Amino acid sequence: MSNLPQKVRMFEVGPRDGLQNEENVVPVEIKVGLIDRLTDAGLPAVEATSFVSPKWVPQLADAPEVMAKIKRKPGVAYPVLVPNRKGLDGAIAAGCDEIVIFGAASEAFSKRNTNCTIAEGLARFGEVCDEALKRGMRVRGDVSVCLGCPYDGEVAPAQVTAVARELYAMGCYEVCIADTIGVGTPGKTRAVFEDAARYIPVEKLAWHFHDTYGQALANTYAALECGVAVFDSSIAGLGGCPYAKGATGNVATEDVLFMLEGLGIETGVDMAKLVEAGRFICDFLGRPTGSRVAKALMAKAA
Ligand code: HMG
Ligand code: MG
């Protein structure tokens, strides 16, 4: 186990990736309550919302109110998704200091998610990134559909690497490789990582797994063995992507934490508080948690 990282940075995406996928818009106070509980649990990064077109993602149209009402805990990052200049202006006005730009590894997904080709998207993100860096903001780059695309099917590792390299070259402090529809397996995870790692240092790479086919923890372990030490996850396993039908939520944060604790890897996250944050949002949504660990811990406590 000596090649596993000693510490992992858990990057929570539930308030954004999770709540963007809810049929009904979750009220601002609930979003704020969730974000504040997540930071109170010790998560170092909570992706709070998106400054995207409300015509495309009405669920997050309240981004400015959410950013105004959360308690900003010192040392915690509150990244927000930004697709274009208009989104950047919104994020600046809301006092955000970290943005996420998001490209795709397949043409069909780029078109469905951002209404442009991969190249057009990268050109747009390049301008957004330059302006954000000039203002002293931090910029993260996500690459979607890296282990398979709902429209184009197979995605070659070289397609992922090409987009990841561009985002890194623009000045992203980290590039996150995403399995948007959760079709990846550990071998494919490793192959995509190894190709990207020929050009991008391992400490600049993160992973984002969805658990549609139940492979997310196995994939997380494969990435840990490659030395990756930053992982996205979603409280209670909330989420999906409105432009990837059938994709379930991200791997649950509680489940990732349980595995990391079992491996003796430090995160700074408190399991009991995390489970309470999950209970809070699931009570509001009126459905059971998607986290196996939260379910087990709540049953044990009852
Ligand atoms: P478009 O329709 O080509 O853009 O969409 P447009 O410039 O023609 O604008 C259309 C309307 O939206 C206009 O309003 C704009 O002003 C407005 P109108 O004039 O018709 O009244 N608009 C905006 N309003 C607020 N903020 C903005 C903004 N931009 C335009 N930023 C666009 C192009 C990129 C805007 C659109 O496709 C979009 O917003 N896409 C975002 C989709 C999205 O958020 N998807 C989910 C997140 S990605 C994901 O989940 C994957 C990830 O988790 C990793 C993984 O799992 O793979 C990250
Ligand atoms: Mg996602």
Side-chain angles (χ1 to χ4, degrees):
M1 275 190 197
S2 56
N3 55 337
L4 299 181
Q6 291 181 339
K7 274 189 196 170
V8 155
R9 182 168 190 253
M10 295 185 79
F11 190 104
E12 171 64 40
V13 299
R16 193 280 305 169
D17 207 351
L19 301 185
Q20 75 181 8
N21 211 45
E22 287 300 319
E23 210 169 309
N24 300 314
V25 177
V26 174
V28 171
E29 314 76 70
I30 300 293
K31 287 173 172 156
V32 170
L34 175 62
I35 293 168
D36 289 345
R37 281 171 174 77
L38 291 167
T39 53
D40 189 49
L43 285 157
V46 179
E47 202 170 70
T49 184
S50 298
F51 286 82
V52 297
S53 170
K55 294 194 169 142
W56 286 61
V57 184
Q59 291 88 340
L60 302 181
D62 53 12
E65 291 98 291
V66 170
M67 290 311 293
K69 290 191 173 152
I70 54 174
K71 273 194 224 102
R72 298 202 199 185
K73 190 174 159 189
V76 172
Y78 296 93
V80 297
L81 260 64
V82 163
N84 53 17
R85 181 64 212 225
K86 185 158 187 177
L88 179 63
D89 291 342
I92 292 166
C96 301
D97 44 28
E98 180 168 332
I99 64 165
V100 180
I101 53 181
F102 50 105
S106 83
E107 285 297 348
F109 193 79
S110 176
K111 195 79 192 165
R112 301 278 184 126
N113 198 40
T114 46
N115 201 24
C116 63
T117 65
I118 294 173
E120 286 163 352
L122 288 171
R124 204 186 273 166
F125 290 131
E127 287 166 24
V128 167
C129 186
D130 281 352
E131 185 59 33
L133 292 175
K134 237 185 268 165
R135 290 169 177 271
M137 299 167 98
R138 277 162 54 91
V139 184
R140 190 184 205 227
D142 284 5
V143 188
S144 288
V145 295
C146 295
L147 302 183
C149 170
Y151 313 109
D152 286 347
E154 276 296 310
V155 173
Q159 283 172 256
V160 177
T161 300
V163 177
R165 281 179 84 176
E166 293 233 20
L167 292 172
Y168 185 58
M170 278 176 204
C172 289
Y173 75 87
E174 180 171 286
V175 177
C176 180
I177 305 177
D179 181 12
T180 312
I181 55 171
V183 290
T185 49
K188 183 97 194 259
T189 298
R190 181 177 275 276
V192 166
F193 167 82
E194 282 173 354
D195 199 71
R198 292 188 298 143
Y199 305 98
I200 304 173
V202 53
E203 64 275 14
K204 302 289 182 182
L205 288 169
W207 272 98
H208 174 116
F209 294 112
H210 284 253
D211 203 27
T212 317
Y213 289 83
Q215 303 296 300
L217 277 184
N219 294 341
T220 302
Y221 190 76
L224 282 168
E225 283 189 318
C226 293
V228 175
V230 183
F231 291 93
D232 292 9
S233 61
S234 173
I235 187 73
L238 296 177
C241 174
Y243 298 100
K245 282 271 167 288
T248 64
N250 300 73
V251 62
T253 306
E254 300 93 319
D255 296 6
V256 174
L257 179 61
F258 188 81
M259 184 173 80
L260 295 175
E261 283 184 346
L263 291 166
I265 296 174
E266 232 177 275
T267 63
V269 182
D270 181 297
M271 179 68 90
K273 287 184 172 179
L274 194 61
V275 169
E276 280 315 307
R279 192 202 300 267
F280 169 79
I281 190 63
C282 290
D283 282 353
F284 174 80
L285 296 171
R287 51 165 202 266
T289 176
S291 160
R292 302 277 288 269
V293 166
K295 225 175 270 171
L297 292 176
M298 288 190 289
K300 197 169 141 191

